[in-house]
Amino acid sequence: MASDFHTSRKAEADRVFIDQHGPDASIERDGGGWMIDPRGRVGIRPQPEQLALF
């Protein structure tokens, strides 16, 4: 099926991106183009101390 073909292509593209840029990297819009941010969205992720139960 075509959907199976695209699923495997996506998984391979994700694997190559992670190998090249690291597991935290993300692609961000930059004005009229795109840029790769090696820190990804780590700055907005909750930190362990923010997750502590009160």
Side-chain angles (χ1 to χ4, degrees):
M1 295 182 75
S3 63
D4 293 336
F5 174 72
H6 293 295
T7 299
S8 63
R9 286 179 58 202
K10 181 187 179 310
E12 179 63 10
D14 288 347
R15 186 193 65 74
V16 170
F17 181 86
I18 291 168
D19 285 350
Q20 290 178 351
H21 304 288
D24 292 330
S26 65
I27 302 172
E28 306 289 332
R29 189 84 165 138
D30 180 26
W34 299 90
M35 63 175 261
I36 296 174
D37 182 353
R39 287 180 18 110
R41 299 173 56 108
V42 73
I44 66 170
R45 292 182 190 145
Q47 300 302 309
E49 61 273 7
Q50 294 171 322
L51 298 175
L53 297 176
F54 295 95

mmCIF file of all heavy atoms in Angstrom:
data_model
loop_
_atom_site.group_PDB
_atom_site.id
_atom_site.type_symbol
_atom_site.label_atom_id
_atom_site.label_comp_id
_atom_site.label_asym_id
_atom_site.label_seq_id
_atom_site.Cartn_x
_atom_site.Cartn_y
_atom_site.Cartn_z
ATOM 1 N N MET A 1 0.827 -1.188 0.000
ATOM 2 C CA MET A 1 0.000 0.000 0.000
ATOM 3 C C MET A 1 0.873 1.255 0.000
ATOM 4 O O MET A 1 1.970 1.255 0.540
ATOM 5 C CB MET A 1 -0.925 0.013 1.217
ATOM 6 C CG MET A 1 -1.949 -1.099 1.245
ATOM 7 S SD MET A 1 -3.031 -0.956 2.679
ATOM 8 C CE MET A 1 -4.039 0.399 2.154
ATOM 9 N N ALA A 2 0.357 2.314 -0.546
ATOM 10 C CA ALA A 2 1.092 3.575 -0.611
ATOM 11 C C ALA A 2 1.357 4.132 0.790
ATOM 12 O O ALA A 2 2.412 4.700 1.042
ATOM 13 C CB ALA A 2 0.329 4.590 -1.445
ATOM 14 N N SER A 3 0.408 3.975 1.694
ATOM 15 C CA SER A 3 0.600 4.522 3.038
ATOM 16 C C SER A 3 1.768 3.838 3.751
ATOM 17 O O SER A 3 2.490 4.470 4.505
ATOM 18 C CB SER A 3 -0.675 4.394 3.861
ATOM 19 O OG SER A 3 -1.016 3.037 4.033
ATOM 20 N N ASP A 4 1.946 2.541 3.514
ATOM 21 C CA ASP A 4 3.085 1.834 4.103
ATOM 22 C C ASP A 4 4.398 2.388 3.561
ATOM 23 O O ASP A 4 5.369 2.542 4.295
ATOM 24 C CB ASP A 4 2.998 0.335 3.816
ATOM 25 C CG ASP A 4 1.835 -0.327 4.509
ATOM 26 O OD1 ASP A 4 1.372 0.204 5.538
ATOM 27 O OD2 ASP A 4 1.374 -1.370 4.014
ATOM 28 N N PHE A 5 4.426 2.682 2.274
ATOM 29 C CA PHE A 5 5.626 3.240 1.647
ATOM 30 C C PHE A 5 5.980 4.576 2.287
ATOM 31 O O PHE A 5 7.122 4.824 2.636
ATOM 32 C CB PHE A 5 5.389 3.401 0.144
ATOM 33 C CG PHE A 5 6.506 4.109 -0.569
ATOM 34 C CD1 PHE A 5 7.722 3.478 -0.780
ATOM 35 C CD2 PHE A 5 6.342 5.414 -1.019
ATOM 36 C CE1 PHE A 5 8.758 4.125 -1.435
ATOM 37 C CE2 PHE A 5 7.368 6.069 -1.672
ATOM 38 C CZ PHE A 5 8.577 5.426 -1.885
ATOM 39 N N HIS A 6 4.995 5.448 2.469
ATOM 40 C CA HIS A 6 5.261 6.757 3.048
ATOM 41 C C HIS A 6 5.630 6.666 4.526
ATOM 42 O O HIS A 6 6.458 7.446 4.999
ATOM 43 C CB HIS A 6 4.064 7.687 2.848
ATOM 44 C CG HIS A 6 3.842 8.025 1.400
ATOM 45 N ND1 HIS A 6 4.750 8.748 0.665
ATOM 46 C CD2 HIS A 6 2.836 7.716 0.560
ATOM 47 C CE1 HIS A 6 4.313 8.880 -0.563
ATOM 48 N NE2 HIS A 6 3.149 8.266 -0.664
ATOM 49 N N THR A 7 5.077 5.730 5.245
ATOM 50 C CA THR A 7 5.422 5.555 6.652
ATOM 51 C C THR A 7 6.893 5.183 6.792
ATOM 52 O O THR A 7 7.608 5.749 7.628
ATOM 53 C CB THR A 7 4.531 4.474 7.294
ATOM 54 O OG1 THR A 7 3.176 4.898 7.202
ATOM 55 C CG2 THR A 7 4.899 4.246 8.745
ATOM 56 N N SER A 8 7.366 4.275 5.988
ATOM 57 C CA SER A 8 8.770 3.871 6.077
ATOM 58 C C SER A 8 9.693 4.993 5.612
ATOM 59 O O SER A 8 10.774 5.174 6.177
ATOM 60 C CB SER A 8 9.022 2.592 5.279
ATOM 61 O OG SER A 8 8.774 2.789 3.911
ATOM 62 N N ARG A 9 9.287 5.762 4.609
ATOM 63 C CA ARG A 9 10.094 6.909 4.160
ATOM 64 C C ARG A 9 10.195 7.950 5.258
ATOM 65 O O ARG A 9 11.259 8.524 5.495
ATOM 66 C CB ARG A 9 9.482 7.546 2.910
ATOM 67 C CG ARG A 9 9.693 6.728 1.655
ATOM 68 C CD ARG A 9 9.070 7.373 0.445
ATOM 69 N NE ARG A 9 9.609 8.699 0.246
ATOM 70 C CZ ARG A 9 9.002 9.660 -0.440
ATOM 71 N NH1 ARG A 9 7.823 9.435 -0.977
ATOM 72 N NH2 ARG A 9 9.541 10.838 -0.584
ATOM 73 N N LYS A 10 9.093 8.217 5.956
ATOM 74 C CA LYS A 10 9.100 9.190 7.044
ATOM 75 C C LYS A 10 10.010 8.729 8.183
ATOM 76 O O LYS A 10 10.796 9.507 8.714
ATOM 77 C CB LYS A 10 7.689 9.433 7.576
ATOM 78 C CG LYS A 10 7.646 10.448 8.700
ATOM 79 C CD LYS A 10 6.269 10.551 9.314
ATOM 80 C CE LYS A 10 6.206 11.527 10.454
ATOM 81 N NZ LYS A 10 7.216 11.389 11.481
ATOM 82 N N ALA A 11 9.924 7.468 8.535
ATOM 83 C CA ALA A 11 10.766 6.932 9.609
ATOM 84 C C ALA A 11 12.245 7.043 9.239
ATOM 85 O O ALA A 11 13.077 7.403 10.081
ATOM 86 C CB ALA A 11 10.389 5.485 9.898
ATOM 87 N N GLU A 12 12.576 6.769 7.992
ATOM 88 C CA GLU A 12 13.967 6.872 7.551
ATOM 89 C C GLU A 12 14.424 8.328 7.550
ATOM 90 O O GLU A 12 15.541 8.632 7.979
ATOM 91 C CB GLU A 12 14.136 6.258 6.160
ATOM 92 C CG GLU A 12 15.532 6.340 5.608
ATOM 93 C CD GLU A 12 16.592 5.589 6.405
ATOM 94 O OE1 GLU A 12 16.244 4.816 7.314
ATOM 95 O OE2 GLU A 12 17.795 5.786 6.114
ATOM 96 N N ALA A 13 13.581 9.240 7.100
ATOM 97 C CA ALA A 13 13.926 10.664 7.114
ATOM 98 C C ALA A 13 14.136 11.148 8.549
ATOM 99 O O ALA A 13 15.079 11.900 8.825
ATOM 100 C CB ALA A 13 12.839 11.476 6.419
ATOM 101 N N ASP A 14 13.291 10.728 9.467
ATOM 102 C CA ASP A 14 13.450 11.094 10.879
ATOM 103 C C ASP A 14 14.758 10.552 11.432
ATOM 104 O O ASP A 14 15.480 11.253 12.146
ATOM 105 C CB ASP A 14 12.284 10.565 11.716
ATOM 106 C CG ASP A 14 10.983 11.306 11.475
ATOM 107 O OD1 ASP A 14 10.998 12.390 10.846
ATOM 108 O OD2 ASP A 14 9.930 10.787 11.910
ATOM 109 N N ARG A 15 15.092 9.312 11.097
ATOM 110 C CA ARG A 15 16.329 8.696 11.577
ATOM 111 C C ARG A 15 17.554 9.465 11.080
ATOM 112 O O ARG A 15 18.469 9.775 11.851
ATOM 113 C CB ARG A 15 16.412 7.233 11.137
ATOM 114 C CG ARG A 15 17.622 6.500 11.730
ATOM 115 C CD ARG A 15 17.883 5.173 11.051
ATOM 116 N NE ARG A 15 18.267 5.307 9.650
ATOM 117 C CZ ARG A 15 19.468 5.728 9.229
ATOM 118 N NH1 ARG A 15 20.392 6.089 10.092
ATOM 119 N NH2 ARG A 15 19.723 5.808 7.946
ATOM 120 N N VAL A 16 17.553 9.824 9.801
ATOM 121 C CA VAL A 16 18.682 10.561 9.223
ATOM 122 C C VAL A 16 18.798 11.946 9.866
ATOM 123 O O VAL A 16 19.893 12.389 10.220
ATOM 124 C CB VAL A 16 18.538 10.662 7.687
ATOM 125 C CG1 VAL A 16 19.556 11.627 7.099
ATOM 126 C CG2 VAL A 16 18.682 9.286 7.054
ATOM 127 N N PHE A 17 17.664 12.638 10.052
ATOM 128 C CA PHE A 17 17.680 13.957 10.685
ATOM 129 C C PHE A 17 18.271 13.870 12.091
ATOM 130 O O PHE A 17 19.129 14.667 12.469
ATOM 131 C CB PHE A 17 16.264 14.543 10.732
ATOM 132 C CG PHE A 17 16.202 15.915 11.342
ATOM 133 C CD1 PHE A 17 16.426 17.037 10.562
ATOM 134 C CD2 PHE A 17 15.939 16.087 12.689
ATOM 135 C CE1 PHE A 17 16.385 18.312 11.124
ATOM 136 C CE2 PHE A 17 15.892 17.339 13.256
ATOM 137 C CZ PHE A 17 16.120 18.459 12.467
ATOM 138 N N ILE A 18 17.834 12.898 12.869
ATOM 139 C CA ILE A 18 18.337 12.729 14.235
ATOM 140 C C ILE A 18 19.820 12.378 14.225
ATOM 141 O O ILE A 18 20.594 12.911 15.023
ATOM 142 C CB ILE A 18 17.508 11.683 14.997
ATOM 143 C CG1 ILE A 18 16.109 12.247 15.255
ATOM 144 C CG2 ILE A 18 18.181 11.276 16.300
ATOM 145 C CD1 ILE A 18 15.107 11.229 15.748
ATOM 146 N N ASP A 19 20.245 11.512 13.307
ATOM 147 C CA ASP A 19 21.668 11.176 13.205
ATOM 148 C C ASP A 19 22.511 12.408 12.893
ATOM 149 O O ASP A 19 23.610 12.563 13.415
ATOM 150 C CB ASP A 19 21.901 10.124 12.118
ATOM 151 C CG ASP A 19 21.476 8.725 12.524
ATOM 152 O OD1 ASP A 19 21.169 8.502 13.718
ATOM 153 O OD2 ASP A 19 21.440 7.845 11.632
ATOM 154 N N GLN A 20 21.988 13.294 12.045
ATOM 155 C CA GLN A 20 22.757 14.461 11.624
ATOM 156 C C GLN A 20 22.701 15.609 12.634
ATOM 157 O O GLN A 20 23.682 16.332 12.786
ATOM 158 C CB GLN A 20 22.244 14.972 10.277
ATOM 159 C CG GLN A 20 22.565 14.059 9.136
ATOM 160 C CD GLN A 20 22.009 14.567 7.815
ATOM 161 O OE1 GLN A 20 21.237 15.528 7.764
ATOM 162 N NE2 GLN A 20 22.412 13.919 6.730
ATOM 163 N N HIS A 21 21.570 15.791 13.307
ATOM 164 C CA HIS A 21 21.378 16.992 14.115
ATOM 165 C C HIS A 21 21.123 16.732 15.596
ATOM 166 O O HIS A 21 21.071 17.683 16.369
ATOM 167 C CB HIS A 21 20.220 17.814 13.537
ATOM 168 C CG HIS A 21 20.425 18.170 12.108
ATOM 169 N ND1 HIS A 21 21.350 19.105 11.693
ATOM 170 C CD2 HIS A 21 19.843 17.690 10.979
ATOM 171 C CE1 HIS A 21 21.320 19.201 10.380
ATOM 172 N NE2 HIS A 21 20.421 18.351 9.918
ATOM 173 N N GLY A 22 20.926 15.489 15.982
ATOM 174 C CA GLY A 22 20.691 15.156 17.381
ATOM 175 C C GLY A 22 19.214 14.992 17.696
ATOM 176 O O GLY A 22 18.351 15.488 16.973
ATOM 177 N N PRO A 23 18.919 14.312 18.801
ATOM 178 C CA PRO A 23 17.532 13.984 19.133
ATOM 179 C C PRO A 23 16.690 15.173 19.592
ATOM 180 O O PRO A 23 15.465 15.109 19.569
ATOM 181 C CB PRO A 23 17.671 12.957 20.259
ATOM 182 C CG PRO A 23 18.995 13.257 20.867
ATOM 183 C CD PRO A 23 19.862 13.727 19.740
ATOM 184 N N ASP A 24 17.319 16.273 19.988
ATOM 185 C CA ASP A 24 16.561 17.439 20.468
ATOM 186 C C ASP A 24 16.331 18.490 19.383
ATOM 187 O O ASP A 24 15.586 19.441 19.605
ATOM 188 C CB ASP A 24 17.284 18.102 21.641
ATOM 189 C CG ASP A 24 17.292 17.233 22.878
ATOM 190 O OD1 ASP A 24 16.333 16.454 23.054
ATOM 191 O OD2 ASP A 24 18.249 17.326 23.660
ATOM 192 N N ALA A 25 16.968 18.336 18.231
ATOM 193 C CA ALA A 25 16.888 19.352 17.174
ATOM 194 C C ALA A 25 15.471 19.481 16.626
ATOM 195 O O ALA A 25 14.680 18.544 16.660
ATOM 196 C CB ALA A 25 17.847 18.999 16.045
ATOM 197 N N SER A 26 15.195 20.687 16.132
ATOM 198 C CA SER A 26 13.905 20.933 15.488
ATOM 199 C C SER A 26 14.122 21.856 14.299
ATOM 200 O O SER A 26 15.139 22.541 14.190
ATOM 201 C CB SER A 26 12.912 21.548 16.468
ATOM 202 O OG SER A 26 13.355 22.825 16.868
ATOM 203 N N ILE A 27 13.154 21.887 13.409
ATOM 204 C CA ILE A 27 13.177 22.783 12.262
ATOM 205 C C ILE A 27 12.219 23.926 12.581
ATOM 206 O O ILE A 27 11.057 23.698 12.900
ATOM 207 C CB ILE A 27 12.754 22.043 10.985
ATOM 208 C CG1 ILE A 27 13.683 20.854 10.734
ATOM 209 C CG2 ILE A 27 12.744 23.002 9.796
ATOM 210 C CD1 ILE A 27 13.236 19.943 9.620
ATOM 211 N N GLU A 28 12.747 25.146 12.511
ATOM 212 C CA GLU A 28 11.977 26.327 12.889
ATOM 213 C C GLU A 28 11.843 27.271 11.703
ATOM 214 O O GLU A 28 12.759 27.390 10.896
ATOM 215 C CB GLU A 28 12.680 27.073 14.034
ATOM 216 C CG GLU A 28 12.995 26.226 15.245
ATOM 217 C CD GLU A 28 11.775 25.845 16.037
ATOM 218 O OE1 GLU A 28 10.788 26.605 16.011
ATOM 219 O OE2 GLU A 28 11.810 24.791 16.687
ATOM 220 N N ARG A 29 10.729 27.955 11.617
ATOM 221 C CA ARG A 29 10.517 28.973 10.587
ATOM 222 C C ARG A 29 11.378 30.182 10.921
ATOM 223 O O ARG A 29 11.432 30.622 12.071
ATOM 224 C CB ARG A 29 9.039 29.371 10.570
ATOM 225 C CG ARG A 29 8.677 30.241 9.415
ATOM 226 C CD ARG A 29 8.397 29.367 8.224
ATOM 227 N NE ARG A 29 7.704 30.138 7.217
ATOM 228 C CZ ARG A 29 7.983 30.046 5.941
ATOM 229 N NH1 ARG A 29 8.892 29.200 5.526
ATOM 230 N NH2 ARG A 29 7.342 30.761 5.071
ATOM 231 N N ASP A 30 12.085 30.712 9.916
ATOM 232 C CA ASP A 30 12.979 31.845 10.112
ATOM 233 C C ASP A 30 12.697 32.878 9.024
ATOM 234 O O ASP A 30 13.318 32.845 7.963
ATOM 235 C CB ASP A 30 14.425 31.379 10.060
ATOM 236 C CG ASP A 30 15.417 32.500 10.268
ATOM 237 O OD1 ASP A 30 15.067 33.496 10.901
ATOM 238 O OD2 ASP A 30 16.560 32.371 9.773
ATOM 239 N N GLY A 31 11.749 33.763 9.272
ATOM 240 C CA GLY A 31 11.399 34.764 8.272
ATOM 241 C C GLY A 31 10.861 34.103 7.014
ATOM 242 O O GLY A 31 9.825 33.468 7.034
ATOM 243 N N GLY A 32 11.616 34.203 5.927
ATOM 244 C CA GLY A 32 11.182 33.622 4.663
ATOM 245 C C GLY A 32 11.705 32.218 4.427
ATOM 246 O O GLY A 32 11.500 31.650 3.366
ATOM 247 N N GLY A 33 12.386 31.632 5.400
ATOM 248 C CA GLY A 33 12.974 30.304 5.221
ATOM 249 C C GLY A 33 12.854 29.455 6.461
ATOM 250 O O GLY A 33 11.970 29.660 7.287
ATOM 251 N N TRP A 34 13.754 28.518 6.574
ATOM 252 C CA TRP A 34 13.753 27.566 7.676
ATOM 253 C C TRP A 34 15.159 27.450 8.241
ATOM 254 O O TRP A 34 16.143 27.656 7.531
ATOM 255 C CB TRP A 34 13.294 26.191 7.191
ATOM 256 C CG TRP A 34 11.910 26.202 6.652
ATOM 257 C CD1 TRP A 34 11.541 26.429 5.353
ATOM 258 C CD2 TRP A 34 10.710 26.013 7.381
ATOM 259 N NE1 TRP A 34 10.178 26.381 5.239
ATOM 260 C CE2 TRP A 34 9.643 26.123 6.465
ATOM 261 C CE3 TRP A 34 10.425 25.754 8.711
ATOM 262 C CZ2 TRP A 34 8.312 25.973 6.852
ATOM 263 C CZ3 TRP A 34 9.110 25.600 9.085
ATOM 264 C CH2 TRP A 34 8.071 25.709 8.168
ATOM 265 N N MET A 35 15.265 27.116 9.509
ATOM 266 C CA MET A 35 16.565 26.872 10.150
ATOM 267 C C MET A 35 16.440 25.674 11.083
ATOM 268 O O MET A 35 15.353 25.336 11.542
ATOM 269 C CB MET A 35 17.039 28.093 10.928
ATOM 270 C CG MET A 35 16.133 28.487 12.077
ATOM 271 S SD MET A 35 16.781 29.827 13.042
ATOM 272 C CE MET A 35 17.488 28.940 14.404
ATOM 273 N N ILE A 36 17.566 25.042 11.327
ATOM 274 C CA ILE A 36 17.602 23.912 12.259
ATOM 275 C C ILE A 36 18.142 24.433 13.580
ATOM 276 O O ILE A 36 19.227 25.015 13.635
ATOM 277 C CB ILE A 36 18.464 22.773 11.710
ATOM 278 C CG1 ILE A 36 17.817 22.228 10.444
ATOM 279 C CG2 ILE A 36 18.644 21.673 12.765
ATOM 280 C CD1 ILE A 36 18.628 21.208 9.711
ATOM 281 N N ASP A 37 17.372 24.241 14.625
ATOM 282 C CA ASP A 37 17.769 24.630 15.975
ATOM 283 C C ASP A 37 18.212 23.367 16.703
ATOM 284 O O ASP A 37 17.387 22.505 17.000
ATOM 285 C CB ASP A 37 16.594 25.278 16.692
ATOM 286 C CG ASP A 37 16.939 25.755 18.091
ATOM 287 O OD1 ASP A 37 18.061 25.469 18.569
ATOM 288 O OD2 ASP A 37 16.089 26.401 18.716
ATOM 289 N N PRO A 38 19.513 23.216 16.974
ATOM 290 C CA PRO A 38 19.994 21.985 17.610
ATOM 291 C C PRO A 38 19.439 21.757 19.020
ATOM 292 O O PRO A 38 19.372 20.634 19.490
ATOM 293 C CB PRO A 38 21.514 22.138 17.636
ATOM 294 C CG PRO A 38 21.775 23.573 17.431
ATOM 295 C CD PRO A 38 20.587 24.150 16.712
ATOM 296 N N ARG A 39 19.025 22.847 19.693
ATOM 297 C CA ARG A 39 18.417 22.696 21.026
ATOM 298 C C ARG A 39 16.941 22.366 20.932
ATOM 299 O O ARG A 39 16.314 22.005 21.915
ATOM 300 C CB ARG A 39 18.589 23.984 21.837
ATOM 301 C CG ARG A 39 19.996 24.205 22.317
ATOM 302 C CD ARG A 39 20.147 25.480 23.112
ATOM 303 N NE ARG A 39 18.922 26.034 23.626
ATOM 304 C CZ ARG A 39 18.571 26.056 24.913
ATOM 305 N NH1 ARG A 39 19.390 25.574 25.809
ATOM 306 N NH2 ARG A 39 17.429 26.582 25.299
ATOM 307 N N GLY A 40 16.385 22.554 19.764
ATOM 308 C CA GLY A 40 14.976 22.255 19.575
ATOM 309 C C GLY A 40 14.100 23.103 20.471
ATOM 310 O O GLY A 40 14.385 24.261 20.734
ATOM 311 N N ARG A 41 13.066 22.512 20.961
ATOM 312 C CA ARG A 41 12.122 23.231 21.813
ATOM 313 C C ARG A 41 12.422 22.977 23.283
ATOM 314 O O ARG A 41 11.559 23.131 24.133
ATOM 315 C CB ARG A 41 10.708 22.813 21.441
ATOM 316 C CG ARG A 41 10.390 23.164 19.982
ATOM 317 C CD ARG A 41 9.074 22.621 19.551
ATOM 318 N NE ARG A 41 8.009 23.072 20.403
ATOM 319 C CZ ARG A 41 7.071 23.950 20.079
ATOM 320 N NH1 ARG A 41 7.056 24.452 18.883
ATOM 321 N NH2 ARG A 41 6.150 24.298 20.931
ATOM 322 N N VAL A 42 13.665 22.617 23.580
ATOM 323 C CA VAL A 42 14.036 22.275 24.948
ATOM 324 C C VAL A 42 13.780 23.436 25.905
ATOM 325 O O VAL A 42 13.470 23.228 27.067
ATOM 326 C CB VAL A 42 15.504 21.785 25.014
ATOM 327 C CG1 VAL A 42 16.484 22.920 24.832
ATOM 328 C CG2 VAL A 42 15.767 21.051 26.302
ATOM 329 N N GLY A 43 13.862 24.667 25.433
ATOM 330 C CA GLY A 43 13.654 25.821 26.287
ATOM 331 C C GLY A 43 12.228 25.957 26.796
ATOM 332 O O GLY A 43 11.991 26.598 27.803
ATOM 333 N N ILE A 44 11.272 25.341 26.109
ATOM 334 C CA ILE A 44 9.887 25.455 26.555
ATOM 335 C C ILE A 44 9.386 24.179 27.218
ATOM 336 O O ILE A 44 8.256 24.127 27.664
ATOM 337 C CB ILE A 44 8.948 25.861 25.393
ATOM 338 C CG1 ILE A 44 8.879 24.760 24.343
ATOM 339 C CG2 ILE A 44 9.377 27.180 24.790
ATOM 340 C CD1 ILE A 44 7.796 24.973 23.309
ATOM 341 N N ARG A 45 10.229 23.156 27.264
ATOM 342 C CA ARG A 45 9.835 21.912 27.925
ATOM 343 C C ARG A 45 9.838 22.098 29.433
ATOM 344 O O ARG A 45 10.711 22.763 29.984
ATOM 345 C CB ARG A 45 10.815 20.786 27.570
ATOM 346 C CG ARG A 45 10.739 20.379 26.136
ATOM 347 C CD ARG A 45 11.689 19.237 25.869
ATOM 348 N NE ARG A 45 11.778 19.018 24.446
ATOM 349 C CZ ARG A 45 12.863 18.634 23.821
ATOM 350 N NH1 ARG A 45 13.978 18.402 24.486
ATOM 351 N NH2 ARG A 45 12.855 18.456 22.528
ATOM 352 N N PRO A 46 8.908 21.501 30.128
ATOM 353 C CA PRO A 46 8.922 21.593 31.587
ATOM 354 C C PRO A 46 10.173 20.922 32.163
ATOM 355 O O PRO A 46 10.602 19.883 31.674
ATOM 356 C CB PRO A 46 7.677 20.803 32.018
ATOM 357 C CG PRO A 46 6.854 20.639 30.799
ATOM 358 C CD PRO A 46 7.774 20.747 29.625
ATOM 359 N N GLN A 47 10.754 21.547 33.129
ATOM 360 C CA GLN A 47 11.926 20.998 33.807
ATOM 361 C C GLN A 47 11.449 20.109 34.946
ATOM 362 O O GLN A 47 10.339 20.258 35.441
ATOM 363 C CB GLN A 47 12.802 22.138 34.335
ATOM 364 C CG GLN A 47 13.313 23.061 33.227
ATOM 365 C CD GLN A 47 14.110 22.316 32.185
ATOM 366 O OE1 GLN A 47 15.030 21.581 32.509
ATOM 367 N NE2 GLN A 47 13.753 22.492 30.922
ATOM 368 N N PRO A 48 12.296 19.158 35.397
ATOM 369 C CA PRO A 48 11.870 18.231 36.452
ATOM 370 C C PRO A 48 11.315 18.921 37.692
ATOM 371 O O PRO A 48 10.326 18.482 38.260
ATOM 372 C CB PRO A 48 13.138 17.448 36.772
ATOM 373 C CG PRO A 48 13.951 17.517 35.520
ATOM 374 C CD PRO A 48 13.626 18.857 34.908
ATOM 375 N N GLU A 49 11.923 20.038 38.082
ATOM 376 C CA GLU A 49 11.443 20.732 39.274
ATOM 377 C C GLU A 49 10.062 21.351 39.037
ATOM 378 O O GLU A 49 9.307 21.554 39.980
ATOM 379 C CB GLU A 49 12.432 21.792 39.755
ATOM 380 C CG GLU A 49 12.706 22.899 38.772
ATOM 381 C CD GLU A 49 13.818 22.607 37.778
ATOM 382 O OE1 GLU A 49 14.324 21.472 37.748
ATOM 383 O OE2 GLU A 49 14.169 23.509 37.020
ATOM 384 N N GLN A 50 9.707 21.613 37.794
ATOM 385 C CA GLN A 50 8.385 22.146 37.470
ATOM 386 C C GLN A 50 7.327 21.053 37.504
ATOM 387 O O GLN A 50 6.144 21.339 37.587
ATOM 388 C CB GLN A 50 8.386 22.821 36.102
ATOM 389 C CG GLN A 50 9.247 24.063 36.030
ATOM 390 C CD GLN A 50 9.387 24.565 34.623
ATOM 391 O OE1 GLN A 50 9.492 23.797 33.678
ATOM 392 N NE2 GLN A 50 9.369 25.875 34.472
ATOM 393 N N LEU A 51 7.760 19.803 37.412
ATOM 394 C CA LEU A 51 6.835 18.680 37.369
ATOM 395 C C LEU A 51 6.557 18.096 38.763
ATOM 396 O O LEU A 51 5.751 17.201 38.898
ATOM 397 C CB LEU A 51 7.368 17.583 36.443
ATOM 398 C CG LEU A 51 7.544 17.986 34.983
ATOM 399 C CD1 LEU A 51 8.200 16.845 34.217
ATOM 400 C CD2 LEU A 51 6.226 18.376 34.357
ATOM 401 N N ALA A 52 7.258 18.607 39.766
ATOM 402 C CA ALA A 52 7.101 18.066 41.118
ATOM 403 C C ALA A 52 5.637 18.212 41.579
ATOM 404 O O ALA A 52 4.996 19.235 41.353
ATOM 405 C CB ALA A 52 8.035 18.794 42.082
ATOM 406 N N LEU A 53 5.163 17.193 42.233
ATOM 407 C CA LEU A 53 3.801 17.222 42.752
ATOM 408 C C LEU A 53 3.786 17.967 44.091
ATOM 409 O O LEU A 53 4.663 17.807 44.925
ATOM 410 C CB LEU A 53 3.271 15.821 42.940
ATOM 411 C CG LEU A 53 3.155 14.994 41.672
ATOM 412 C CD1 LEU A 53 2.717 13.584 42.006
ATOM 413 C CD2 LEU A 53 2.158 15.623 40.707
ATOM 414 N N PHE A 54 2.786 18.756 44.279
ATOM 415 C CA PHE A 54 2.668 19.535 45.520
ATOM 416 C C PHE A 54 1.666 18.907 46.429
ATOM 417 O O PHE A 54 0.737 18.324 46.115
ATOM 418 C CB PHE A 54 2.269 20.977 45.210
ATOM 419 C CG PHE A 54 3.334 21.690 44.450
ATOM 420 C CD1 PHE A 54 3.292 21.765 43.057
ATOM 421 C CD2 PHE A 54 4.393 22.273 45.093
ATOM 422 C CE1 PHE A 54 4.256 22.415 42.357
ATOM 423 C CE2 PHE A 54 5.372 22.935 44.397
ATOM 424 C CZ PHE A 54 5.325 23.021 43.024
#
